[in-house]
Amino acid sequence: MIDEVNVLVLAAGHGSRMKSVTPKVLHQVAGKTMIDWVLDAVEPLSTRRPITVIGVGAESVQNHVGKRSDFVLQSEQLGTGHAVQQAEEQLVDSEGVTLIMSGDTPMFRTETLAEFIAEHKKSNNTVTVLTAIADDPTGYGRIVRSDDDTVLKIVEQKDASVTERRIREINTGVYIFDNKLLFKALAEVKNDNAQGEYYLPDTLNILRQANQQIGAHTLQDFTESLGVNDRVALATANHVMRERINHKLMLAGVELLDPLHTYIDANVVIGQDTVVEGGVTILGHTKIGENSVITQGSRISDSLIGNMTTITSSHMEAAVVADHVTIGPFAHLRPDAELGNYVHVGNFVEVKQAKLAANTKAGHLTYIGNATIGEDVNIGAGTIFVNYDGVNKSNTTVGDRAFIGSNTKLVAPVHIAPESITAAGSTITNDVPEHAMGIARTRQTNKDDFWKRMPHKK
C-alpha cells in the first residue's frame, strides 16, 4: 500500500470518434468497461477513494461507477488541464502526490502503476511522466528531451513540428505530481494552441522554468499504454486483453486448443484440465469446473458449469449445469435452465426456466420451458412443453422415471406423476396419475382407395 496518493481519473470527454451514444469510458474491453479496468488498477494504490472527472454522459458514468469513486463535473470540455482544475477544491490542501490518468486507458496493470509511483518518490521529482516507445507514434504526444536526457516538454501531435513528429517516445497520459505544485502550475497554463485548450502537459514547462525537477519513467510493455479513441483501437485493446486472459488461464492449467480464436471475458473462471476448442466465446461471470470440454462454436454467458461436463457447439445464457452433463450439439440453454448430474440435453433442444434432475435425458428436437422434471425421465423427440397461452406462462411438473413419448405436447399447467407414460403423439391437457399412460390423440381412420381421388400428372 502506498499512502498519501490521490488518484484522478479523467473521463469527461465525448469520444466523438467512437461514433456512439454510449460514453467512451463505458465501452467494454473483454467484458468490463474501460473505466472499471482503470479503477481496478488504481484502487490498490491508495486508501483514498479515486476522483473521476465526468462531463459528457456524466449521469451514465456516475451511475455505472457508483460508490467506487468521488466525482467532479467538467461541464465544458476545454482540455486536460482544465479537467484537472475541476478537482482543485477537493485536492488543493493535500500534502501528498496526485496520480492522473485517463478513463479510456484500460490496459494498465496495478504493478506498473505502483512501480511508477515508487520511482517518482525515489527520484524526488516534482512531476514524473509515464512514457512508452511506440513503433508508430502517430496520434500521441511526443516527449521532447534535452541533450542531458531530461524532459523539456510534451508536444501534442497537432502542435508538433516535422522533427518532433519523428520522436518515438510518447506520452501515455499518466502523470504523478506533487499535488500543491500541480495546481499552482495549472493556474499559469494558457490555451494558445491549435485546439484552444488548456493542456495538462504544459505544466511541465512551467514547473521546469520554476527550477522544479521533471522526470520520466518508461514502460517496458507498450501495450499497457494503449488508449481507445475509436472502434479500431477498441478492437486492438480487446485483442491484447484477451491474449492476457488466455495466457493466464493456460498457465493455470486450462487447455486452449486455439487461443488466438478463443474469446474469454475477464471475470470468467475455468478449472484445470478443462479443454476449450477454438471458436468458443465465454462471457460475463461464467464459472466452469475441472475436466470439462467446450467444443467449437459454443457461446456461454453468465453460467455455472460443473466438472467433467461436455458442451458441444451450443449456446447458454444464465444457466446452471452440474457434473457429468452432456449438452448439444446445437442445444440452447436460456436463463434459469438448471441441469442436474448426468443429464443429457441433445441436438436442437431448448431449455428455459426449467429444472431437470439427475439422469434425465432429452435427446433431440424438444422445447422445455417452465418445467420441473424429476430424475431418470426420458423425454422423447419432438416433445413440446406448451407453457404460454398468449397471456400467462404456466408450469409443468414431471415425476421421477416418467416416460414422455415422442411428439408429446404437455399443455401447462399439468402434472405427470412419477413412473407414468405419455403415448407418442399425444396432446396432454390433464394430469397423468402414477403408473398410468396418458393417450390424447384421435383414433386412426384409413380411407380405402383414396389414392384414386388424387389428381395425377401424366
Side-chain angles (χ1 to χ4, degrees), residues 35 94 113 357 397:
I35 189 71
S94 172
L113 297 174
T397 59

Side-chain angles (χ1 to χ4, degrees), residues 202-268:
D202 288 352
T203 57
L204 273 63
N205 189 49
I206 293 168
L207 290 168
R208 186 177 60 82
Q209 291 179 355
N211 295 317
Q212 299 296 330
Q213 186 168 304
I214 314 299
H217 179 72
T218 303
L219 274 173
Q220 298 300 310
D221 180 1
F222 174 77
T223 64
E224 290 194 54
S225 71
L226 293 173
V228 176
N229 291 314
D230 55 30
R231 305 283 184 156
V232 176
L234 183 64
T236 300
N238 268 287
H239 175 74
V240 173
M241 193 65 80
R242 293 192 192 282
E243 279 192 336
R244 287 188 193 175
I245 292 166
N246 291 352
H247 183 75
K248 183 177 180 181
L249 285 169
M250 288 186 288
L251 291 180
V254 178
E255 187 169 350
L256 304 183
L257 300 187
D258 184 3
L260 292 179
H261 300 96
T262 303
Y263 310 99
I264 302 176
D265 274 355
N267 291 317
V268 170

Side-chain angles (χ1 to χ4, degrees), residues 65-87:
V65 171
K67 295 181 179 180
R68 298 187 71 186
S69 176
D70 294 328
F71 300 92
V72 294
L73 178 66
Q74 186 187 23
S75 55
E76 187 177 6
Q77 281 66 62
L78 299 177
T80 51
H82 180 257
V84 174
Q85 283 183 311
Q86 308 314 299

Side-chain angles (χ1 to χ4, degrees), residues 152-163:
L152 287 177
K153 59 181 179 177
I154 301 173
V155 181
E156 297 300 320
Q157 168 90 17
K158 294 177 181 178
D159 300 308
S161 67
V162 173
T163 300

Side-chain angles (χ1 to χ4, degrees), residues 63-359:
N63 288 340
H64 176 81
V65 171
K67 295 181 179 180
R68 298 187 71 186
S69 176
D70 294 328
F71 300 92
V72 294
L73 178 66
Q74 186 187 23
S75 55
E76 187 177 6
Q77 281 66 62
L78 299 177
T80 51
H82 180 257
V84 174
Q85 283 183 311
Q86 308 314 299
E88 183 170 5
E89 183 177 342
Q90 286 78 8
L91 295 177
V92 69
D93 293 328
S94 172
E95 299 292 339
V97 297
T98 296
L99 174 70
I100 302 173
M101 59 190 304
S102 298
D104 60 0
T105 53
M107 311 303 292
F108 285 109
R109 295 179 170 94
T110 299
E111 296 81 4
T112 298
L113 297 174
E115 181 182 302
F116 175 53
I117 295 169
E119 176 65 23
H120 172 81
K121 289 191 169 186
K122 179 182 177 181
S123 64
N124 294 315
N125 292 331
T126 297
V127 55
T128 305
V129 185
L130 188 60
T131 71
I133 307 301
D135 291 335
D136 179 7
T138 303
Y140 291 95
R142 308 303 203 278
I143 304 297
V144 180
R145 294 181 180 263
S146 64
D147 292 339
D148 63 0
D149 211 34
T150 58
V151 177
L152 287 177
K153 59 181 179 177
I154 301 173
V155 181
E156 297 300 320
Q157 168 90 17
K158 294 177 181 178
D159 300 308
S161 67
V162 173
T163 300
E164 288 168 340
R165 290 188 182 192
R166 295 193 186 104
I167 297 172
R168 292 177 53 219
E169 186 177 15
I170 57 96
N171 177 21
T172 68
V174 179
Y175 311 84
I176 187 163
F177 285 84
D178 174 278
N179 185 71
K180 289 195 171 182
L181 291 175
L182 164 65
F183 289 102
K184 288 181 180 179
L186 280 172
E188 299 181 37
V189 171
K190 308 298 182 185
N191 66 341
D192 50 352
N193 52 63
Q195 299 301 302
E197 295 183 348
Y198 298 90
Y199 290 151
L200 179 61
D202 288 352
T203 57
L204 273 63
N205 189 49
I206 293 168
L207 290 168
R208 186 177 60 82
Q209 291 179 355
N211 295 317
Q212 299 296 330
Q213 186 168 304
I214 314 299
H217 179 72
T218 303
L219 274 173
Q220 298 300 310
D221 180 1
F222 174 77
T223 64
E224 290 194 54
S225 71
L226 293 173
V228 176
N229 291 314
D230 55 30
R231 305 283 184 156
V232 176
L234 183 64
T236 300
N238 268 287
H239 175 74
V240 173
M241 193 65 80
R242 293 192 192 282
E243 279 192 336
R244 287 188 193 175
I245 292 166
N246 291 352
H247 183 75
K248 183 177 180 181
L249 285 169
M250 288 186 288
L251 291 180
V254 178
E255 187 169 350
L256 304 183
L257 300 187
D258 184 3
L260 292 179
H261 300 96
T262 303
Y263 310 99
I264 302 176
D265 274 355
N267 291 317
V268 170
V269 176
I270 305 177
Q272 68 181 28
D273 293 317
T274 284
V275 177
V276 181
E277 295 184 354
V280 170
T281 300
I282 308 176
L283 306 172
H285 289 81
T286 295
K287 183 175 181 180
I288 302 173
E290 299 178 353
N291 292 287
S292 290
V293 177
I294 316 296
T295 78
Q296 184 174 6
S298 294
R299 181 182 176 91
I300 303 167
S301 62
D302 296 309
S303 296
L304 179 61
I305 299 164
N307 303 315
M308 292 166 283
T309 283
T310 299
I311 300 171
T312 305
S313 303
S314 296
H315 285 202
M316 298 173 54
E317 306 107 39
V320 177
V321 176
D323 300 337
H324 301 281
V325 174
T326 54
I327 298 171
F330 312 120
H332 187 184
L333 271 59
R334 294 169 59 192
D336 297 320
E338 185 174 343
L339 309 186
N341 292 331
Y342 294 98
V343 164
H344 170 65
V345 170
N347 50 291
F348 303 105
V349 174
E350 181 177 351
V351 183
K352 178 191 74 70
Q353 289 186 337
K355 181 177 180 179
L356 283 65
N359 295 297

Side-chain angles (χ1 to χ4, degrees), residues 427-438:
T427 298
I428 303 296
T429 58
N430 297 314
D431 294 352
V432 179
E434 190 170 0
H435 298 161
M437 181 172 69

